[in-house]
PDB file of all heavy atoms in Angstrom:
ATOM      1  N   PHE A   8     -74.448  70.455  76.516  1.00 36.00           N
ATOM      2  CA  PHE A   8     -73.867  71.673  77.050  1.00 36.00           C
ATOM      3  C   PHE A   8     -72.452  71.391  77.606  1.00 36.00           C
ATOM      4  O   PHE A   8     -71.556  72.163  77.475  1.00 36.00           O
ATOM      5  CB  PHE A   8     -74.765  72.276  78.081  1.00 36.00           C
ATOM      6  CG  PHE A   8     -74.239  73.563  78.622  1.00 36.00           C
ATOM      7  CD1 PHE A   8     -74.434  74.766  77.973  1.00 36.00           C
ATOM      8  CD2 PHE A   8     -73.518  73.588  79.823  1.00 36.00           C
ATOM      9  CE1 PHE A   8     -73.923  75.965  78.483  1.00 36.00           C
ATOM     10  CE2 PHE A   8     -73.048  74.792  80.347  1.00 36.00           C
ATOM     11  CZ  PHE A   8     -73.225  75.975  79.656  1.00 36.00           C
ATOM     12  N   ARG A   9     -72.368  70.294  78.326  1.00 40.00           N
ATOM     13  CA  ARG A   9     -71.124  69.909  78.984  1.00 40.00           C
ATOM     14  C   ARG A   9     -70.027  69.678  77.903  1.00 40.00           C
ATOM     15  O   ARG A   9     -68.902  70.150  78.054  1.00 40.00           O
ATOM     16  CB  ARG A   9     -71.293  68.657  79.822  1.00 40.00           C
ATOM     17  CG  ARG A   9     -70.025  68.142  80.450  1.00 40.00           C
ATOM     18  CD  ARG A   9     -70.320  67.145  81.562  1.00 40.00           C
ATOM     19  NE  ARG A   9     -71.276  66.113  81.099  1.00 40.00           N
ATOM     20  CZ  ARG A   9     -70.865  65.010  80.440  1.00 40.00           C
ATOM     21  NH1 ARG A   9     -69.642  64.837  80.143  1.00 40.00           N
ATOM     22  NH2 ARG A   9     -71.783  64.132  80.045  1.00 40.00           N
ATOM     23  N   PHE A  10     -70.389  68.938  76.874  1.00 39.00           N
ATOM     24  CA  PHE A  10     -69.388  68.699  75.825  1.00 39.00           C
ATOM     25  C   PHE A  10     -68.973  69.992  75.106  1.00 39.00           C
ATOM     26  O   PHE A  10     -67.820  70.182  74.727  1.00 39.00           O
ATOM     27  CB  PHE A  10     -69.947  67.687  74.800  1.00 39.00           C
ATOM     28  CG  PHE A  10     -69.690  66.285  75.202  1.00 39.00           C
ATOM     29  CD1 PHE A  10     -70.771  65.441  75.525  1.00 39.00           C
ATOM     30  CD2 PHE A  10     -68.382  65.738  75.275  1.00 39.00           C
ATOM     31  CE1 PHE A  10     -70.538  64.148  75.912  1.00 39.00           C
ATOM     32  CE2 PHE A  10     -68.204  64.452  75.671  1.00 39.00           C
ATOM     33  CZ  PHE A  10     -69.270  63.629  76.021  1.00 39.00           C
ATOM     34  N   LEU A  11     -69.976  70.922  74.921  1.00 39.00           N
ATOM     35  CA  LEU A  11     -69.629  72.200  74.314  1.00 39.00           C
ATOM     36  C   LEU A  11     -68.637  72.934  75.168  1.00 39.00           C
ATOM     37  O   LEU A  11     -67.669  73.525  74.696  1.00 39.00           O
ATOM     38  CB  LEU A  11     -70.889  73.007  74.113  1.00 39.00           C
ATOM     39  CG  LEU A  11     -70.737  74.426  73.543  1.00 39.00           C
ATOM     40  CD1 LEU A  11     -70.111  74.303  72.106  1.00 39.00           C
ATOM     41  CD2 LEU A  11     -72.079  75.120  73.427  1.00 39.00           C
ATOM     42  N   ALA A  12     -68.884  72.937  76.497  1.00 39.00           N
ATOM     43  CA  ALA A  12     -68.002  73.583  77.413  1.00 39.00           C
ATOM     44  C   ALA A  12     -66.577  73.035  77.386  1.00 39.00           C
ATOM     45  O   ALA A  12     -65.585  73.752  77.469  1.00 39.00           O
ATOM     46  CB  ALA A  12     -68.569  73.563  78.822  1.00 39.00           C
ATOM     47  N   ILE A  13     -66.518  71.680  77.285  1.00 39.00           N
ATOM     48  CA  ILE A  13     -65.247  71.046  77.235  1.00 39.00           C
ATOM     49  C   ILE A  13     -64.471  71.438  76.009  1.00 39.00           C
ATOM     50  O   ILE A  13     -63.284  71.793  76.054  1.00 39.00           O
ATOM     51  CB  ILE A  13     -65.431  69.487  77.278  1.00 39.00           C
ATOM     52  CG1 ILE A  13     -65.904  69.040  78.659  1.00 39.00           C
ATOM     53  CG2 ILE A  13     -64.140  68.776  76.939  1.00 39.00           C
ATOM     54  CD1 ILE A  13     -66.268  67.572  78.698  1.00 39.00           C
ATOM     55  N   CYS A  14     -65.170  71.420  74.852  1.00 42.00           N
ATOM     56  CA  CYS A  14     -64.479  71.786  73.626  1.00 42.00           C
ATOM     57  C   CYS A  14     -64.041  73.238  73.620  1.00 42.00           C
ATOM     58  O   CYS A  14     -62.976  73.571  73.105  1.00 42.00           O
ATOM     59  CB  CYS A  14     -65.429  71.502  72.423  1.00 42.00           C
ATOM     60  SG  CYS A  14     -65.693  69.751  72.110  1.00 42.00           S
ATOM     61  N   LEU A  15     -64.868  74.150  74.196  1.00 39.00           N
ATOM     62  CA  LEU A  15     -64.532  75.528  74.187  1.00 39.00           C
ATOM     63  C   LEU A  15     -63.364  75.855  75.143  1.00 39.00           C
ATOM     64  O   LEU A  15     -62.751  76.908  75.022  1.00 39.00           O
ATOM     65  CB  LEU A  15     -65.756  76.361  74.552  1.00 39.00           C
ATOM     66  CG  LEU A  15     -66.848  76.465  73.505  1.00 39.00           C
ATOM     67  CD1 LEU A  15     -68.027  77.252  74.047  1.00 39.00           C
ATOM     68  CD2 LEU A  15     -66.337  77.057  72.226  1.00 39.00           C
ATOM     69  N   SER A  16     -63.061  74.924  76.038  1.00 39.00           N
ATOM     70  CA  SER A  16     -61.969  75.182  76.979  1.00 39.00           C
ATOM     71  C   SER A  16     -60.646  75.010  76.332  1.00 39.00           C
ATOM     72  O   SER A  16     -59.609  75.324  76.892  1.00 39.00           O
ATOM     73  CB  SER A  16     -62.077  74.219  78.165  1.00 39.00           C
ATOM     74  OG  SER A  16     -61.807  72.896  77.734  1.00 39.00           O
ATOM     75  N   ALA A  17     -60.575  74.462  75.131  1.00 38.00           N
ATOM     76  CA  ALA A  17     -59.316  74.296  74.419  1.00 38.00           C
ATOM     77  C   ALA A  17     -59.393  75.050  73.114  1.00 38.00           C
ATOM     78  O   ALA A  17     -60.460  75.486  72.641  1.00 38.00           O
ATOM     79  CB  ALA A  17     -59.072  72.791  74.182  1.00 38.00           C
ATOM     80  N   PHE A  18     -58.250  75.152  72.431  1.00 34.00           N
ATOM     81  CA  PHE A  18     -58.263  75.760  71.103  1.00 34.00           C
ATOM     82  C   PHE A  18     -58.985  74.915  70.142  1.00 34.00           C
ATOM     83  O   PHE A  18     -58.730  73.706  69.978  1.00 34.00           O
ATOM     84  CB  PHE A  18     -56.799  75.961  70.681  1.00 34.00           C
ATOM     85  CG  PHE A  18     -56.679  76.427  69.251  1.00 34.00           C
ATOM     86  CD1 PHE A  18     -56.933  77.741  68.914  1.00 34.00           C
ATOM     87  CD2 PHE A  18     -56.322  75.543  68.215  1.00 34.00           C
ATOM     88  CE1 PHE A  18     -56.798  78.154  67.652  1.00 34.00           C
ATOM     89  CE2 PHE A  18     -56.211  75.979  66.940  1.00 34.00           C
ATOM     90  CZ  PHE A  18     -56.441  77.291  66.621  1.00 34.00           C
ATOM     91  N   VAL A  19     -59.945  75.478  69.388  1.00 34.00           N
ATOM     92  CA  VAL A  19     -60.772  74.750  68.421  1.00 34.00           C
ATOM     93  C   VAL A  19     -60.281  75.028  67.036  1.00 34.00           C
ATOM     94  O   VAL A  19     -60.290  76.213  66.605  1.00 34.00           O
ATOM     95  CB  VAL A  19     -62.261  75.038  68.612  1.00 34.00           C
ATOM     96  CG1 VAL A  19     -63.086  74.259  67.574  1.00 34.00           C
ATOM     97  CG2 VAL A  19     -62.716  74.755  69.993  1.00 34.00           C
ATOM     98  N   CYS A  20     -59.880  74.022  66.297  1.00 36.00           N
ATOM     99  CA  CYS A  20     -59.435  74.206  64.908  1.00 36.00           C
ATOM    100  C   CYS A  20     -60.613  74.458  64.008  1.00 36.00           C
ATOM    101  O   CYS A  20     -61.647  73.777  64.159  1.00 36.00           O
ATOM    102  CB  CYS A  20     -58.686  72.963  64.418  1.00 36.00           C
ATOM    103  SG  CYS A  20     -57.246  72.556  65.382  1.00 36.00           S
ATOM    104  N   SER A  21     -60.533  75.340  63.099  1.00 35.00           N
ATOM    105  CA  SER A  21     -61.572  75.515  62.075  1.00 35.00           C
ATOM    106  C   SER A  21     -61.321  74.568  60.915  1.00 35.00           C
ATOM    107  O   SER A  21     -60.194  74.150  60.699  1.00 35.00           O
ATOM    108  CB  SER A  21     -61.591  76.948  61.537  1.00 35.00           C
ATOM    109  OG  SER A  21     -60.403  77.204  60.818  1.00 35.00           O
ATOM    110  N   ALA A  22     -62.341  74.202  60.177  1.00 34.00           N
ATOM    111  CA  ALA A  22     -62.174  73.271  59.072  1.00 34.00           C
ATOM    112  C   ALA A  22     -61.212  73.819  58.042  1.00 34.00           C
ATOM    113  O   ALA A  22     -60.443  73.120  57.398  1.00 34.00           O
ATOM    114  CB  ALA A  22     -63.521  72.993  58.449  1.00 34.00           C
ATOM    115  N   ALA A  23     -61.230  75.155  57.810  1.00 32.00           N
ATOM    116  CA  ALA A  23     -60.350  75.723  56.804  1.00 32.00           C
ATOM    117  C   ALA A  23     -58.917  75.655  57.215  1.00 32.00           C
ATOM    118  O   ALA A  23     -58.027  75.525  56.335  1.00 32.00           O
ATOM    119  CB  ALA A  23     -60.775  77.186  56.597  1.00 32.00           C
ATOM    120  N   ALA A  24     -58.643  75.731  58.547  1.00 36.00           N
ATOM    121  CA  ALA A  24     -57.281  75.683  58.977  1.00 36.00           C
ATOM    122  C   ALA A  24     -56.721  74.301  59.180  1.00 36.00           C
ATOM    123  O   ALA A  24     -55.538  74.106  59.361  1.00 36.00           O
ATOM    124  CB  ALA A  24     -57.144  76.493  60.272  1.00 36.00           C
ATOM    125  N   LEU A  25     -57.624  73.307  59.181  1.00 38.00           N
ATOM    126  CA  LEU A  25     -57.237  71.970  59.505  1.00 38.00           C
ATOM    127  C   LEU A  25     -56.330  71.371  58.425  1.00 38.00           C
ATOM    128  O   LEU A  25     -56.650  71.406  57.275  1.00 38.00           O
ATOM    129  CB  LEU A  25     -58.470  71.054  59.667  1.00 38.00           C
ATOM    130  CG  LEU A  25     -58.171  69.626  60.124  1.00 38.00           C
ATOM    131  CD1 LEU A  25     -57.596  69.616  61.509  1.00 38.00           C
ATOM    132  CD2 LEU A  25     -59.465  68.784  60.079  1.00 38.00           C
ATOM    133  N   ASN A  26     -55.176  70.875  58.816  1.00 40.00           N
ATOM    134  CA  ASN A  26     -54.260  70.173  57.886  1.00 40.00           C
ATOM    135  C   ASN A  26     -53.494  69.168  58.667  1.00 40.00           C
ATOM    136  O   ASN A  26     -53.796  68.913  59.845  1.00 40.00           O
ATOM    137  CB  ASN A  26     -53.349  71.162  57.187  1.00 40.00           C
ATOM    138  CG  ASN A  26     -52.488  71.952  58.100  1.00 40.00           C
ATOM    139  OD1 ASN A  26     -51.887  71.374  59.024  1.00 40.00           O
ATOM    140  ND2 ASN A  26     -52.465  73.287  57.906  1.00 40.00           N
ATOM    141  N   ALA A  27     -52.546  68.531  58.052  1.00 41.00           N
ATOM    142  CA  ALA A  27     -51.822  67.414  58.682  1.00 41.00           C
ATOM    143  C   ALA A  27     -51.062  67.834  59.918  1.00 41.00           C
ATOM    144  O   ALA A  27     -50.696  67.014  60.714  1.00 41.00           O
ATOM    145  CB  ALA A  27     -50.868  66.772  57.665  1.00 41.00           C
ATOM    146  N   GLN A  28     -50.856  69.159  60.076  1.00 54.00           N
ATOM    147  CA  GLN A  28     -50.040  69.606  61.213  1.00 54.00           C
ATOM    148  C   GLN A  28     -50.893  70.040  62.389  1.00 54.00           C
ATOM    149  O   GLN A  28     -50.402  70.373  63.441  1.00 54.00           O
ATOM    150  CB  GLN A  28     -49.147  70.780  60.763  1.00 54.00           C
ATOM    151  CG  GLN A  28     -48.157  70.396  59.655  1.00 54.00           C
ATOM    152  CD  GLN A  28     -47.257  69.268  60.119  1.00 54.00           C
ATOM    153  OE1 GLN A  28     -46.673  69.298  61.179  1.00 54.00           O
ATOM    154  NE2 GLN A  28     -47.063  68.286  59.245  1.00 54.00           N
ATOM    155  N   ASP A  29     -52.238  70.101  62.189  1.00 81.00           N
ATOM    156  CA  ASP A  29     -53.109  70.596  63.257  1.00 81.00           C
ATOM    157  C   ASP A  29     -53.653  69.482  64.139  1.00 81.00           C
ATOM    158  O   ASP A  29     -53.929  68.398  63.639  1.00 81.00           O
ATOM    159  CB  ASP A  29     -54.276  71.408  62.617  1.00 81.00           C
ATOM    160  CG  ASP A  29     -53.818  72.683  61.974  1.00 81.00           C
ATOM    161  OD1 ASP A  29     -52.891  73.326  62.511  1.00 81.00           O
ATOM    162  OD2 ASP A  29     -54.379  73.010  60.933  1.00 81.00           O
ATOM    163  N   ALA A  30     -53.902  69.796  65.358  1.00 95.00           N
ATOM    164  CA  ALA A  30     -54.564  68.874  66.264  1.00 95.00           C
ATOM    165  C   ALA A  30     -56.037  69.151  66.190  1.00 95.00           C
ATOM    166  O   ALA A  30     -56.511  70.296  66.032  1.00 95.00           O
ATOM    167  CB  ALA A  30     -54.077  69.102  67.668  1.00 95.00           C
ATOM    168  N   ILE A  31     -56.854  68.094  66.296  1.00 97.00           N
ATOM    169  CA  ILE A  31     -58.298  68.199  66.279  1.00 97.00           C
ATOM    170  C   ILE A  31     -58.813  68.391  67.709  1.00 97.00           C
ATOM    171  O   ILE A  31     -58.470  67.591  68.599  1.00 97.00           O
ATOM    172  CB  ILE A  31     -58.934  66.948  65.655  1.00 97.00           C
ATOM    173  CG1 ILE A  31     -58.538  66.793  64.189  1.00 97.00           C
ATOM    174  CG2 ILE A  31     -60.446  66.982  65.800  1.00 97.00           C
ATOM    175  CD1 ILE A  31     -59.020  65.501  63.572  1.00 97.00           C
ATOM    176  N   TYR A  32     -59.586  69.453  67.936  1.00 97.00           N
ATOM    177  CA  TYR A  32     -60.242  69.647  69.212  1.00 97.00           C
ATOM    178  C   TYR A  32     -61.728  69.833  69.063  1.00 97.00           C
ATOM    179  O   TYR A  32     -62.419  70.277  69.969  1.00 97.00           O
ATOM    180  CB  TYR A  32     -59.665  70.896  69.914  1.00 97.00           C
ATOM    181  CG  TYR A  32     -58.260  70.704  70.410  1.00 97.00           C
ATOM    182  CD1 TYR A  32     -57.199  71.411  69.861  1.00 97.00           C
ATOM    183  CD2 TYR A  32     -58.010  69.802  71.453  1.00 97.00           C
ATOM    184  CE1 TYR A  32     -55.884  71.235  70.331  1.00 97.00           C
ATOM    185  CE2 TYR A  32     -56.687  69.645  71.931  1.00 97.00           C
ATOM    186  CZ  TYR A  32     -55.669  70.361  71.375  1.00 97.00           C
ATOM    187  OH  TYR A  32     -54.373  70.184  71.870  1.00 97.00           O
ATOM    188  N   ASP A  33     -62.244  69.535  67.880  1.00 97.00           N
ATOM    189  CA  ASP A  33     -63.646  69.718  67.565  1.00 97.00           C
ATOM    190  C   ASP A  33     -64.221  68.327  67.204  1.00 97.00           C
ATOM    191  O   ASP A  33     -63.775  67.722  66.255  1.00 97.00           O
ATOM    192  CB  ASP A  33     -63.785  70.692  66.421  1.00 97.00           C
ATOM    193  CG  ASP A  33     -65.268  71.036  66.102  1.00 97.00           C
ATOM    194  OD1 ASP A  33     -66.145  70.251  66.466  1.00 97.00           O
ATOM    195  OD2 ASP A  33     -65.447  72.116  65.485  1.00 97.00           O
ATOM    196  N   GLU A  34     -65.223  67.866  67.953  1.00 97.00           N
ATOM    197  CA  GLU A  34     -65.778  66.547  67.717  1.00 97.00           C
ATOM    198  C   GLU A  34     -66.351  66.441  66.259  1.00 97.00           C
ATOM    199  O   GLU A  34     -66.322  65.323  65.708  1.00 97.00           O
ATOM    200  CB  GLU A  34     -66.939  66.277  68.693  1.00 97.00           C
ATOM    201  CG  GLU A  34     -66.503  66.046  70.107  1.00 97.00           C
ATOM    202  CD  GLU A  34     -65.947  64.651  70.361  1.00 97.00           C
ATOM    203  OE1 GLU A  34     -66.299  63.735  69.628  1.00 97.00           O
ATOM    204  OE2 GLU A  34     -65.155  64.501  71.321  1.00 97.00           O
ATOM    205  N   SER A  35     -66.762  67.508  65.677  1.00 97.00           N
ATOM    206  CA  SER A  35     -67.330  67.464  64.331  1.00 97.00           C
ATOM    207  C   SER A  35     -66.289  67.226  63.258  1.00 97.00           C
ATOM    208  O   SER A  35     -66.595  66.842  62.121  1.00 97.00           O
ATOM    209  CB  SER A  35     -68.078  68.754  63.986  1.00 97.00           C
ATOM    210  OG  SER A  35     -67.189  69.854  63.832  1.00 97.00           O
ATOM    211  N   LEU A  36     -65.003  67.381  63.630  1.00 97.00           N
ATOM    212  CA  LEU A  36     -63.897  67.173  62.658  1.00 97.00           C
ATOM    213  C   LEU A  36     -63.269  65.799  62.717  1.00 97.00           C
ATOM    214  O   LEU A  36     -62.366  65.482  61.963  1.00 97.00           O
ATOM    215  CB  LEU A  36     -62.859  68.245  62.884  1.00 97.00           C
ATOM    216  CG  LEU A  36     -63.246  69.748  62.674  1.00 97.00           C
ATOM    217  CD1 LEU A  36     -62.094  70.627  62.917  1.00 97.00           C
ATOM    218  CD2 LEU A  36     -63.806  69.926  61.282  1.00 97.00           C
ATOM    219  N   ILE A  37     -63.752  65.005  63.675  1.00 97.00           N
ATOM    220  CA  ILE A  37     -63.217  63.638  63.779  1.00 97.00           C
ATOM    221  C   ILE A  37     -63.647  62.836  62.581  1.00 97.00           C
ATOM    222  O   ILE A  37     -64.819  62.762  62.260  1.00 97.00           O
ATOM    223  CB  ILE A  37     -63.658  62.999  65.097  1.00 97.00           C
ATOM    224  CG1 ILE A  37     -63.096  63.729  66.286  1.00 97.00           C
ATOM    225  CG2 ILE A  37     -63.272  61.503  65.145  1.00 97.00           C
ATOM    226  CD1 ILE A  37     -63.653  63.277  67.625  1.00 97.00           C
ATOM    227  N   PRO A  38     -62.722  62.201  61.878  1.00 95.00           N
ATOM    228  CA  PRO A  38     -63.100  61.396  60.712  1.00 95.00           C
ATOM    229  C   PRO A  38     -63.882  60.130  61.095  1.00 95.00           C
ATOM    230  O   PRO A  38     -63.787  59.673  62.210  1.00 95.00           O
ATOM    231  CB  PRO A  38     -61.752  60.980  60.111  1.00 95.00           C
ATOM    232  CG  PRO A  38     -60.783  61.040  61.258  1.00 95.00           C
ATOM    233  CD  PRO A  38     -61.272  62.132  62.168  1.00 95.00           C
ATOM    234  N   GLU A  39     -64.670  59.665  60.155  1.00 97.00           N
ATOM    235  CA  GLU A  39     -65.356  58.408  60.391  1.00 97.00           C
ATOM    236  C   GLU A  39     -64.364  57.259  60.515  1.00 97.00           C
ATOM    237  O   GLU A  39     -63.333  57.250  59.816  1.00 97.00           O
ATOM    238  CB  GLU A  39     -66.358  58.137  59.227  1.00 97.00           C
ATOM    239  CG  GLU A  39     -67.533  59.114  59.175  1.00 97.00           C
ATOM    240  CD  GLU A  39     -68.474  58.701  58.101  1.00 97.00           C
ATOM    241  OE1 GLU A  39     -68.356  57.609  57.513  1.00 97.00           O
ATOM    242  OE2 GLU A  39     -69.442  59.479  57.860  1.00 97.00           O
ATOM    243  N   PHE A  40     -64.670  56.350  61.388  1.00 98.00           N
ATOM    244  CA  PHE A  40     -63.714  55.208  61.560  1.00 98.00           C
ATOM    245  C   PHE A  40     -64.493  54.012  62.049  1.00 98.00           C
ATOM    246  O   PHE A  40     -65.625  54.146  62.602  1.00 98.00           O
ATOM    247  CB  PHE A  40     -62.592  55.524  62.500  1.00 98.00           C
ATOM    248  CG  PHE A  40     -63.054  55.928  63.908  1.00 98.00           C
ATOM    249  CD1 PHE A  40     -63.300  54.944  64.862  1.00 98.00           C
ATOM    250  CD2 PHE A  40     -63.230  57.238  64.259  1.00 98.00           C
ATOM    251  CE1 PHE A  40     -63.693  55.265  66.167  1.00 98.00           C
ATOM    252  CE2 PHE A  40     -63.681  57.583  65.527  1.00 98.00           C
ATOM    253  CZ  PHE A  40     -63.900  56.588  66.492  1.00 98.00           C
ATOM    254  N   THR A  41     -63.902  52.828  61.902  1.00 98.00           N
ATOM    255  CA  THR A  41     -64.481  51.580  62.393  1.00 98.00           C
ATOM    256  C   THR A  41     -63.453  50.967  63.291  1.00 98.00           C
ATOM    257  O   THR A  41     -62.291  50.754  62.911  1.00 98.00           O
ATOM    258  CB  THR A  41     -64.807  50.643  61.235  1.00 98.00           C
ATOM    259  OG1 THR A  41     -65.768  51.255  60.421  1.00 98.00           O
ATOM    260  CG2 THR A  41     -65.396  49.338  61.809  1.00 98.00           C
ATOM    261  N   LEU A  42     -63.862  50.657  64.527  1.00 98.00           N
ATOM    262  CA  LEU A  42     -62.934  49.997  65.468  1.00 98.00           C
ATOM    263  C   LEU A  42     -62.805  48.511  65.195  1.00 98.00           C
ATOM    264  O   LEU A  42     -63.756  47.855  64.746  1.00 98.00           O
ATOM    265  CB  LEU A  42     -63.469  50.195  66.921  1.00 98.00           C
ATOM    266  CG  LEU A  42     -63.416  51.611  67.454  1.00 98.00           C
ATOM    267  CD1 LEU A  42     -64.066  51.604  68.859  1.00 98.00           C
ATOM    268  CD2 LEU A  42     -61.968  52.145  67.543  1.00 98.00           C
ATOM    269  N   PRO A  43     -61.562  47.975  65.425  1.00 98.00           N
ATOM    270  CA  PRO A  43     -61.442  46.521  65.327  1.00 98.00           C
ATOM    271  C   PRO A  43     -62.394  45.852  66.291  1.00 98.00           C
ATOM    272  O   PRO A  43     -62.550  46.282  67.444  1.00 98.00           O
ATOM    273  CB  PRO A  43     -60.004  46.284  65.706  1.00 98.00           C
ATOM    274  CG  PRO A  43     -59.294  47.641  65.505  1.00 98.00           C
ATOM    275  CD  PRO A  43     -60.324  48.649  65.785  1.00 98.00           C
ATOM    276  N   ASP A  44     -63.034  44.783  65.827  1.00 98.00           N
ATOM    277  CA  ASP A  44     -64.025  44.058  66.638  1.00 98.00           C
ATOM    278  C   ASP A  44     -63.323  43.191  67.651  1.00 98.00           C
ATOM    279  O   ASP A  44     -62.477  42.346  67.305  1.00 98.00           O
ATOM    280  CB  ASP A  44     -64.867  43.207  65.712  1.00 98.00           C
ATOM    281  CG  ASP A  44     -65.972  42.440  66.455  1.00 98.00           C
ATOM    282  OD1 ASP A  44     -66.063  42.585  67.708  1.00 98.00           O
ATOM    283  OD2 ASP A  44     -66.698  41.650  65.759  1.00 98.00           O
ATOM    284  N   PRO A  45     -63.619  43.351  68.951  1.00 98.00           N
ATOM    285  CA  PRO A  45     -62.944  42.530  69.971  1.00 98.00           C
ATOM    286  C   PRO A  45     -63.203  41.046  69.730  1.00 98.00           C
ATOM    287  O   PRO A  45     -62.380  40.177  70.133  1.00 98.00           O
ATOM    288  CB  PRO A  45     -63.619  42.959  71.266  1.00 98.00           C
ATOM    289  CG  PRO A  45     -64.132  44.359  71.021  1.00 98.00           C
ATOM    290  CD  PRO A  45     -64.513  44.321  69.577  1.00 98.00           C
ATOM    291  N   PHE A  46     -64.320  40.697  69.101  1.00 98.00           N
ATOM    292  CA  PHE A  46     -64.731  39.281  68.988  1.00 98.00           C
ATOM    293  C   PHE A  46     -64.463  38.674  67.637  1.00 98.00           C
ATOM    294  O   PHE A  46     -65.009  37.608  67.307  1.00 98.00           O
ATOM    295  CB  PHE A  46     -66.216  39.189  69.346  1.00 98.00           C
ATOM    296  CG  PHE A  46     -66.530  39.678  70.732  1.00 98.00           C
ATOM    297  CD1 PHE A  46     -67.387  40.769  70.915  1.00 98.00           C
ATOM    298  CD2 PHE A  46     -65.926  39.106  71.845  1.00 98.00           C
ATOM    299  CE1 PHE A  46     -67.642  41.204  72.182  1.00 98.00           C
ATOM    300  CE2 PHE A  46     -66.209  39.580  73.129  1.00 98.00           C
ATOM    301  CZ  PHE A  46     -67.098  40.654  73.284  1.00 98.00           C
TER     302      PHE A  46
END
């Protein structure tokens, strides 16, 4: 619920509107990624 409230407090991009010029404010739109291993 807290994360939903946080996301709703900002402008949320829809998937249809998302392009290279849009900022992501929706956790579901974050691309998959792998972080560099510290070790």
Side-chain angles (χ1 to χ4, degrees):
F8 182 82
R9 176 165 49 84
F10 274 113
L11 178 61
I13 290 173
C14 290
L15 289 177
S16 69
F18 173 76
V19 179
C20 300
S21 69
L25 184 64
N26 58 48
Q28 299 302 313
D29 292 324
I31 297 174
Y32 289 114
D33 186 338
E34 291 281 336
S35 71
L36 299 180
I37 294 172
E39 292 186 6
F40 61 86
T41 300
L42 291 176
D44 182 2
F46 302 118

